Amino acid sequence: HGPYQPHEPGYGLDQPGYNPYEDEIPDPQARMLAIKNAKAYLLKTSTKSGLNLYDHFANILTKILDEQPTNTVDIIENISKDVKWAQFRKKMDTLRDEHLIPPTFEAAEKCKALFVKEGGDEEREELEEEMPSLPNVMETAFYFEQAGIGLNKDESYYIFLALKNLINAQPIQTCRFWGKILGLEMNYIIAEVQLREGEGEEEEETGEEGEATIAEGEKEMGEAEEEDEQKEKEAELPKSTYKPPPEIPKEANGTGTNKYVYFVCNEPGKPWVKLPAVTPAQIVCARKIKKFFTGRLDAPVVSFPPFPGNEANYLRAQIARISAGTQVSPTGFYQFADEEEEEEEGADSYEENPEFEPPPVAEMVESLATWAHHVKGILKQGRCVWINPQKLEENEEEDDEEEEEEEREEQEEERGLPLLTLISEDEGMKDIPAWTAQASTNLIPEYSIAILQSNRWPGAYAFASGRKFENIYFGWGHKYSLESHAPALPPPAQVEFPSGPGITETVDPTVEEEMAFKAAQEEALAEAEEGEDEEEEND
Amino acid sequence: MEALSLSAALALVAGGGAGLSPERRAALAVSLPLVQRDYRFERVWFWGCIQGVRGAYYIAEGLGPDRTGPRSRLYSLNCLDWSLLTPATKEMLALAEQVKGRFQGDPSFEYNLAEINAEAAARLIESGKEPVMKEEARLTATIEQIDRAVGIVPRGAFVKTPLGSVHENRHFEGLSLVEAKKLSSYFHFTEPVNLKNKTLLEKADLDPSTDFLDSLEHDIPRESWSIQLEKGGTVVVLRSLLWLGLTFYHVPMTKQFGYVYFGTGEKNLDLPFML
């Protein structure tokens, strides 16, 4: 047998005087004393923390034996630290902590409220009347999940219930889950809605009332101005002849960019807020800026060029742009109501084609000509239907001179693409096509669906499977651009009036200079007269 | 995210709308354990998915015993067959930063370097190679950049042993709700850059076993992270604004955390204008 290692039994037996049964101190009294001393030392209370090692070890060993972690020796220091922490918390019991209600429970209550079914038997009678169509959000979510797109099933269901609440609360004709836009502090869940006819006009009435009050205000202002003018007839400052270009009016509710009304909420369970209609000025400005959404609708949008509105307006403008750029449907699914309308620009309405036969999925994936936009594109002006700004001027300012009208450049009439254009006409960026089409699965082709991803608006997706199709958006709400965003530079400083001899300041001539000038003039006159006299004499 | 807890993790990250189809999930559940077996990794993380124009790359990372050591990265086009990527060299990283535009989706696609960086192209021509950069190289460089810039872990989740190697802290019980809302409770899981610049006073408060990495509060720009509590505070989700698509999740008071990338693989250089 070789030398024994410490872990083997029998280690040390061959050493003289080291008998396992002989390691006890021979004198039992001395041993008891040693033990008592050791224990007393362990029981000594620390001056700093008031703990003692004996109790601490007892607690550690109790904890270890209760929990039985593996490889305890590696984490023994952490266990010791935790036991000490636990000790401290107990000592502060005289001051009770406020029972903090974590936000978890509040949110859970709100979500629970979604599940409550309102009303009772009365509802069933009403259901037979015009029932606004609640979109089957779960079915859509299932199809998008085949492509790997979509929210958690729970969240989809909450959105489903929230949409139902929205339909019950507002007079809605059709409703669709448009998508989700992410923000810095909170996200937006967006529903695209068409209000029942007659309901959206409330806004217009208030608008008119507002205009009436504004007109009254202007009249008062006019009177005040006249008074001021009379007082200041002597020292009138030159008034600027600059007239800003007329504001391009927004499109009426139900047409063009304002065809749909959008409701947003931060989370399902929170109340839905209606977004205001979008104006062309907002769309034009939204094209020039790129800002993250914060999640609060009243947050200001600080940018250059300054955005006319707050985050609610910016959100609405981006939604309009995304819808115009990426809402697609299989070609032929929608057709124009009358064939004559195809040529006119005002073709806004389309209807489902009852004779539509869906092409097979493989064809939908291969050729982009099988998809078509069903939302009108937005022109540079910011509207779907071009309006001549000169005509606006004529209506407003009939008394002005005609010269001003001629000075303005004639703006060319903008023509956008007609309504149901195929998406194969969409331009790509450099060598990136505007759309990427894929089948959801190659392994099981008979049940695969066609998926479209937009490359111009990353986050916009569309799927088609037979007669079913849907569009959705999940993203940050910005367009993709190859070059980095270059914000508009501020306009150059205004040039000062060119200085010429007419307005340059010079020193007034002194009396001597004037006299000298006068003398010189008289001399010149006299010379001229003499010259004439000489000529007369010569004749 | 850990390959083993993939489905639960994907459910928590789905708030951004990106996820995996059931086919891909099933394929991952099958292929990642095989990858672990073949390459003898201790841990396999599903890193995420980079969308190319014509296809997508699915990326997995394998870690050895030292979690901060060099990681092996694998990519796959269908979540079943994985190919190992060569580690990124400094030149590749420098070149990849200059390549702009989307990934094509084809690993053998070649970027013409003459357009991007004439010097590098000239160098390559001199050494006898073609002045191109393969998409595979760009892929691995991009993954490395993303990991270095925005790969994060909660404080206390990893512990440094006296020998220098780093592994999971088995005693980590999760951040509390208050801590989870602070940026300083999260660390970049990469070589620390800012630690040495801290003042002595700050260093005294640090615990060398857990605070050996850079925390997020010194990131520039300061607000390049969006912290949100989802589901009423049950999950805290951090989204990077610099690399749009990177999502980190953590369930407070539990051990669950992880990050995943679903995006186009492009840096958001417009960030300062967008805040």
Side-chain angles (χ1 to χ4, degrees):
Chain A
H1 281 242
Y4 284 93
Q5 300 301 316
H7 64 269
E8 292 176 11
Y11 172 70
L13 278 177
D14 49 351
Q15 306 279 337
Y18 194 93
N19 189 336
Y21 302 110
E22 285 183 2
D23 59 354
E24 300 164 8
I25 302 171
D27 187 1
Q29 286 287 343
R31 198 174 78 226
M32 292 303 293
L33 190 60
I35 292 177
K36 272 193 207 164
N37 285 342
K39 192 167 174 188
Y41 168 72
L42 290 178
L43 278 168
K44 244 202 252 185
T45 323
S46 153
T47 44
K48 269 198 243 175
S49 54
L51 304 169
N52 63 54
L53 200 52
Y54 190 86
D55 288 336
H56 186 58
F57 273 142
N59 290 336
I60 293 181
L61 286 174
T62 318
K63 180 169 173 157
I64 292 179
L65 290 172
D66 282 338
E67 295 178 6
Q68 305 255 348
T70 52
N71 284 357
T72 319
V73 64
D74 294 331
I75 52 174
I76 185 74
E77 292 87 359
N78 286 339
I79 296 182
S80 161
K81 218 195 311 188
D82 281 347
V83 170
K84 276 194 194 158
W85 274 32
Q87 291 273 337
F88 275 119
R89 260 180 239 153
K90 281 183 199 158
K91 290 213 166 180
M92 303 283 206
D93 246 357
T94 44
L95 287 167
R96 263 187 257 163
D97 282 331
E98 240 186 72
H99 190 54
L100 288 168
I101 305 176
T104 321
F105 304 141
E106 290 179 17
E109 284 216 21
K110 276 193 197 150
C111 278
K112 189 170 171 193
L114 280 175
F115 283 88
V116 170
K117 190 170 179 189
E118 290 172 31
D121 293 327
E122 297 176 5
E123 261 202 42
R124 289 205 194 147
E125 294 173 15
E126 291 183 17
L127 279 178
E128 294 171 5
E129 296 178 2
E130 286 182 22
M131 177 63 183
S133 50
L134 176 68
N136 194 346
V137 171
M138 297 311 288
E139 191 183 0
T140 314
F142 165 76
Y143 281 113
F144 275 118
E145 197 194 348
Q146 301 302 307
I149 303 151
L151 304 171
N152 204 359
K153 285 256 172 58
D154 289 348
E155 201 172 341
S156 298
Y157 204 82
Y158 294 142
I159 293 177
F160 202 5
L161 291 173
L163 281 177
K164 181 154 191 279
N165 280 350
L166 177 66
I167 286 185
N168 289 341
Q170 304 272 348
I172 287 177
Q173 194 176 3
T174 60
C175 171
R176 195 174 82 82
F177 174 48
W178 185 91
K180 183 173 179 184
I181 288 189
L182 303 172
L184 295 181
E185 295 164 28
M186 290 186 283
N187 306 325
Y188 290 117
I189 295 177
I190 300 160
E192 181 184 80
V193 142
Q194 260 183 326
L195 293 177
R196 261 182 251 147
E197 296 176 6
E199 302 292 338
E201 288 177 13
E202 287 179 15
E203 265 196 57
E204 290 185 28
E205 289 177 6
T206 49
E208 285 174 12
E209 287 176 10
E211 285 177 22
T213 45
I214 291 173
E216 288 176 14
E218 283 181 3
K219 280 186 203 161
E220 293 174 7
M221 285 281 296
E223 290 172 4
E225 278 181 16
E226 285 176 19
E227 292 176 7
D228 287 335
E229 278 185 33
Q230 287 169 5
K231 288 179 194 170
E232 299 182 7
K233 256 191 184 171
E234 297 176 7
E236 257 188 34
L237 293 170
K239 288 202 181 126
S240 156
T241 48
Y242 170 72
K243 285 199 178 64
E247 199 184 306
I248 300 175
K250 65 180 182 190
E251 296 182 275
N253 291 348
T255 64
T257 43
N258 288 321
K259 185 162 185 194
Y260 295 101
V261 177
Y262 293 93
F263 284 85
V264 296
C265 76
N266 286 122
E267 277 179 4
K270 294 210 176 148
W272 290 91
V273 177
K274 184 174 175 187
L275 285 180
V278 66
T279 67
Q282 288 170 356
I283 292 193
V284 167
C285 193
R287 281 179 174 148
K288 298 184 191 157
I289 65 176
K290 196 172 178 190
K291 285 284 205 178
F292 277 123
F293 294 99
T294 59
R296 291 166 287 126
L297 284 174
D298 50 357
V301 177
V302 181
S303 66
F304 187 78
F307 187 77
N310 56 12
E311 183 156 310
N313 302 102
Y314 183 45
L315 180 64
R316 179 67 181 83
Q318 290 293 93
I319 294 177
R321 289 174 70 198
I322 295 175
S323 295
T326 61
Q327 302 277 324
V328 294
S329 55
T331 311
F333 189 87
Y334 288 119
Q335 68 183 8
F336 289 110
D338 297 324
E339 286 193 8
E340 295 171 2
E341 282 191 22
E342 254 183 73
E343 297 295 324
E344 292 179 13
E345 286 179 13
D348 226 2
S349 63
Y350 47 77
E351 58 177 23
E352 280 188 32
N353 182 356
E355 299 159 18
F356 169 65
E357 282 190 16
V361 169
E363 205 181 305
M364 298 214 76
V365 168
E366 266 186 45
S367 142
L368 288 179
T370 43
W371 299 83
H373 288 280
H374 61 258
V375 176
K376 253 195 159 188
I378 305 183
L379 304 169
K380 264 198 193 165
Q381 208 182 33
R383 295 171 48 111
C384 289
V385 175
W386 191 74
I387 228 184
N388 192 344
Q390 291 180 6
K391 285 193 190 154
L392 291 172
E393 284 182 36
E394 284 167 22
N395 289 340
E396 287 180 10
E397 309 166 356
E398 291 171 355
D399 302 329
D400 278 11
E401 298 172 5
E402 293 177 0
E403 290 176 12
E404 291 186 14
E405 287 182 14
E406 288 174 11
E407 281 178 8
R408 301 218 188 247
E409 296 172 6
E410 284 221 9
Q411 291 187 6
E412 287 182 12
E413 189 181 338
E414 291 179 44
R415 283 186 161 267
L417 294 170
L419 187 53
L420 296 177
T421 5
L422 306 175
I423 68 174
S424 44
E425 315 261 335
D426 281 351
E427 297 170 5
M429 303 154 286
K430 246 192 186 179
D431 42 354
I432 303 174
W435 295 89
T436 301
Q438 287 174 340
S440 63
T441 163
N442 292 328
L443 298 175
I444 308 177
E446 49 268 18
Y447 289 112
S448 74
I449 61 179
I451 311 276
L452 266 193
Q453 289 178 15
S454 170
N455 292 329
R456 284 198 293 187
W457 290 96
Y461 303 99
F463 86 86
S465 164
R467 288 195 71 95
K468 293 206 173 74
F469 77 94
E470 187 59 77
N471 299 282
I472 210 158
Y473 183 86
F474 291 113
W476 295 90
H478 298 116
K479 195 169 188 177
Y480 177 74
S481 73
L482 279 174
E483 285 89 31
S484 304
H485 172 67
L489 291 174
Q494 275 190 329
V495 180
E496 286 192 12
F497 198 87
S499 49
I503 58 166
T504 334
E505 279 187 10
T506 47
V507 183
D508 274 342
T510 58
V511 180
E512 288 89 11
E513 284 179 19
E514 276 190 12
M515 301 294 282
F517 186 68
K518 208 172 166 191
Q521 267 195 332
E522 285 171 5
E523 276 184 23
L525 269 178
E527 282 180 13
E529 284 177 9
E530 284 176 24
E532 285 177 13
D533 290 342
E534 284 179 7
E535 285 178 13
E536 284 177 10
E537 287 177 9
N538 287 341
D539 286 340
Chain B
M1 56 177 60
E2 280 285 332
L4 299 169
S5 53
L6 196 59
S7 37
L10 283 174
L12 295 170
V13 175
L20 292 175
S21 64
E23 184 190 332
R24 300 275 181 244
R25 277 191 221 191
L28 279 179
V30 156
S31 60
L32 286 181
L34 293 178
V35 160
Q36 195 173 356
R37 175 200 69 182
D38 291 337
Y39 290 89
R40 316 265 165 98
F41 293 136
E42 279 205 15
R43 290 265 188 276
V44 175
W45 284 3
F46 175 62
W47 185 89
C49 164
I50 291 190
Q51 267 305 330
V53 173
R54 281 188 279 274
Y57 297 107
Y58 298 92
I59 319 282
E61 280 184 343
L63 292 100
D66 181 6
R67 305 286 185 255
T68 51
R71 293 179 220 172
S72 323
R73 297 185 171 103
L74 304 104
Y75 79 94
S76 157
L77 298 164
N78 57 2
C79 285
L80 284 170
D81 310 308
W82 296 89
S83 332
L84 192 62
L85 284 169
T86 48
T89 59
K90 276 192 191 167
E91 293 159 4
M92 288 208 292
L93 285 174
L95 279 177
E97 273 196 54
Q98 300 182 345
V99 176
K100 293 204 177 147
R102 303 267 312 262
F103 279 85
Q104 293 295 322
D106 174 17
S108 54
F109 182 81
E110 289 169 347
Y111 293 94
N112 192 355
L113 273 183
E115 292 168 18
I116 300 162
N117 189 346
E119 287 181 14
R123 255 184 277 141
L124 278 175
I125 294 177
E126 284 170 24
S127 60
K129 298 180 211 163
E130 289 179 19
V132 291
M133 181 174 191
K134 284 202 154 177
E135 178 140 307
E136 261 193 21
R138 184 182 173 202
L139 184 65
T140 173
T142 309
I143 300 174
E144 174 75 32
Q145 276 177 340
I146 294 181
D147 267 341
R148 271 197 208 164
V150 289
I152 59 176
V153 291
R155 179 175 180 269
F158 285 90
V159 97
K160 194 164 190 174
T161 60
L163 300 169
S165 71
V166 169
H167 51 74
E168 285 96 354
N169 181 4
R170 285 195 6 252
H171 213 68
F172 175 61
E173 284 180 3
L175 302 172
S176 69
L177 205 56
V178 174
E179 282 177 12
K181 287 193 235 170
K182 295 192 219 163
L183 271 184
S184 54
S185 332
Y186 301 98
F187 290 154
H188 287 283
F189 198 47
T190 172
E191 290 294 320
V193 172
N194 278 336
L195 261 189
K196 304 168 206 165
N197 300 342
K198 289 200 168 201
T199 62
L200 273 180
L201 206 60
E202 288 173 349
K203 277 196 219 173
D205 289 328
L206 298 178
D207 180 5
S209 62
T210 52
D211 293 312
F212 55 97
L213 300 165
D214 280 332
S215 101
L216 287 192
E217 52 182 2
H218 301 293
D219 270 2
I220 293 167
R222 287 209 70 190
E223 300 193 7
S224 58
W225 288 94
S226 133
I227 302 191
Q228 287 181 12
L229 289 175
E230 291 198 0
K231 285 193 193 174
T234 43
V235 184
V236 63
V237 172
L238 271 79
R239 292 203 178 89
S240 165
L241 305 175
L242 187 59
W243 291 93
L244 287 177
L246 184 106
T247 318
F248 169 86
Y249 73 93
H250 174 55
V251 184
M253 302 314 286
T254 68
K255 285 188 82 148
Q256 300 172 35
F257 67 89
Y259 68 85
V260 71
Y261 182 85
F262 282 108
T264 59
E266 288 167 291
K267 199 167 182 178
N268 181 21
L269 292 168
D270 304 330
L271 181 59
F273 294 120
M274 293 168 78
L275 288 174

